[in-house]
Amino acid sequence: MSLPIPLPFERPIFDLETQLERLESQANPSETTRDAIRQMRVEIARLKREVFDNLNPWEVVQLSRHDMRPKASDYIELVFDEFVELHGDRAFSDDRAILTGFAKLDDTRVMLIAQQKGRNLKERVEHNYGMAHPEGYRKALSKMQMAAKYGLPIICLIDTAGAYPGIGAEERGQAYQIAYNLREMSRVATPIVCVVIGEGGSGGALGIGIGDHVAMLQFSYYSVISPEGCASILWKHQRFADKAAHALRFTGKDLLSFGIIDEVIPEPLGGAHRDHRRTAANLKASLNVALKSLSQMDKTQLLDHRYGKFRKIGAFEEKSVEAVAEAAAT
């Protein structure tokens, strides 16, 4: 794969890699050149660890949106052995922002629900940049209910900036359909594994995000609102998006500590956009472990576990005024 266009914080790494590529292209390198190549490889690895171990939330957002980052279609090709797509919501149309169908993960047959953004402009227009309409969420739910009928586990790959906010979508019940999906997914009597592979924006992500095991790739985010949307509301301008990103606490590390997700899936050094195959291998391993664990639960245990998981999110403790005053005094 050719080197991707670097993000600002990747520029020093990219410059070194360009130099390394130039040295390695020499036909008969001298011993001095070979030593320089070895040292440069060590320096690139060190710099990658330094940069990517210390990314701030806004930089994570930029990585989650990277043009070269693997999309759902890439994971369908690299993780699953076969995929038979199912179309339509039986009511209005086939929303291409959400792909649904039968898939095979090693020896396990699953129902795959995936939000697809598209790679180039033509694909992005076809898939509406991954922003689903109500018919997309209806399609997803009907396929989940089909999976439960045939005893198939469900895998949801989440990658959207949010549900489509257009007038037509609202007229066809966008908010209602997302809320309906939340309720009905909590009742689907088969294992559900959800993974945020890029952006996990607001109700658009949550509409296929109620699962028994919820994971995120390392450089993805999962938030009630985009940083730009938050900045526009709180600071009246999108230029404060980086400030909003810090305040929202939406990275995998934060959400794991809050108990909102169950796992952060590591990405290769330098991010998923640099090594699709290794990222896909990490995702596949995580899916296999999660499905194996969930398969040991019967339907009653599964639904009780799922209900309890989401019911406890946002739990808080109340203290008396006296206790607060005493704590402040100490």
Side-chain angles (χ1 to χ4, degrees):
M1 183 185 297
S2 60
L3 291 175
I5 298 173
L7 294 166
F9 55 87
E10 293 182 293
R11 175 58 66 179
I13 300 170
F14 183 83
D15 291 343
L16 282 178
E17 288 175 330
T18 302
Q19 294 176 38
L20 177 63
E21 192 175 71
R22 191 179 304 118
L23 289 175
E24 290 178 330
S25 66
Q26 294 183 16
N28 297 299
S30 65
E31 184 62 32
T32 302
T33 300
R34 288 195 290 269
D35 286 341
I37 289 174
R38 285 191 289 269
Q39 292 173 11
M40 196 167 290
R41 287 173 177 166
V42 171
E43 176 61 17
I44 289 171
R46 184 201 65 78
L47 190 55
K48 281 183 179 179
R49 284 192 293 271
E50 180 182 315
V51 170
F52 287 92
D53 287 348
N54 297 284
L55 293 179
N56 64 48
W58 178 238
E59 290 168 339
V60 170
V61 172
Q62 293 176 70
L63 273 181
S64 75
R65 297 170 175 171
H66 200 291
D67 285 343
M68 297 293 291
R69 189 174 180 84
K71 304 297 189 289
S73 56
D74 297 309
Y75 291 120
I76 289 172
E77 180 180 347
L78 294 171
V79 173
F80 301 95
D81 297 322
E82 58 185 57
F83 177 64
V84 179
E85 188 171 359
L86 301 173
H87 298 271
D89 70 332
R90 293 186 171 185
F92 186 78
S93 71
D94 180 36
D95 189 341
R96 301 296 294 151
I98 296 183
L99 305 179
T100 62
F102 298 113
K104 191 175 181 183
L105 181 69
D106 289 337
D107 294 328
T108 305
R109 295 196 176 276
V110 302
M111 177 65 73
L112 181 63
I113 314 293
Q115 289 168 326
Q116 169 69 357
K117 285 183 173 180
R119 176 72 63 199
N120 52 44
L121 181 59
K122 181 180 178 181
E123 290 181 0
R124 288 169 184 164
V125 171
E126 177 190 353
H127 297 284
N128 201 36
Y129 293 80
M131 297 184 293
H133 294 75
E135 47 270 24
Y137 293 104
R138 278 197 299 270
K139 175 171 74 168
L141 181 59
S142 70
K143 304 309 180 283
M144 293 180 197
Q145 292 169 336
M146 180 189 297
K149 178 179 179 180
Y150 293 109
L152 301 177
I154 298 165
I155 294 173
C156 299
L157 301 182
I158 298 168
D159 189 14
T160 182
Y164 186 65
I167 292 174
E170 297 298 338
E171 289 175 341
R172 296 194 298 277
Q174 182 75 288
Y176 169 82
Q177 188 60 48
I178 291 173
Y180 186 74
N181 272 36
L182 303 187
R183 187 187 74 180
E184 294 304 306
M185 281 188 76
S186 71
R187 301 173 175 178
V188 173
T190 194
I192 304 176
V193 178
C194 304
V195 183
V196 182
I197 60 173
E199 292 190 89
S202 191
L206 200 57
I208 61 168
I210 304 298
D212 305 293
H213 183 87
V214 180
M216 293 173 62
L217 286 178
Q218 184 179 358
F219 300 126
S220 63
Y221 80 91
Y222 197 15
S223 176
V224 67
I225 192 171
S226 70
E228 293 89 345
C230 178
S232 297
I233 294 171
L234 295 184
W235 293 284
K236 310 304 179 186
H237 202 285
Q238 290 189 7
R239 70 173 178 270
F240 296 105
D242 58 339
K243 186 176 181 180
H246 282 79
L248 284 165
R249 304 286 299 277
F250 53 32
T251 65
K253 182 179 179 180
D254 288 326
L255 299 181
L256 186 63
S257 69
F258 297 150
I260 293 175
I261 65 169
D262 304 293
E263 180 187 8
V264 176
I265 302 171
E267 296 187 22
L269 189 60
H273 61 285
R274 287 176 171 267
D275 194 335
H276 289 197
R277 290 189 178 278
R278 186 174 298 180
T279 307
N282 292 348
L283 173 60
K284 184 174 185 177
S286 171
L287 292 173
N288 275 318
V289 170
L291 289 178
K292 182 178 180 180
S293 174
L294 294 173
S295 67
Q296 298 173 12
M297 298 184 185
D298 62 32
K299 291 182 180 180
T300 300
Q301 290 175 315
L302 198 68
L303 294 178
D304 288 346
H305 170 266
R306 191 182 307 160
Y307 177 82
K309 172 182 174 59
F310 284 89
R311 188 67 180 86
K312 71 181 181 182
I313 291 177
F316 60 92
E317 294 181 359
E318 292 186 358
K319 293 185 177 180
S320 65
V321 174
E322 293 78 9
V324 172
E326 183 179 346
T330 56

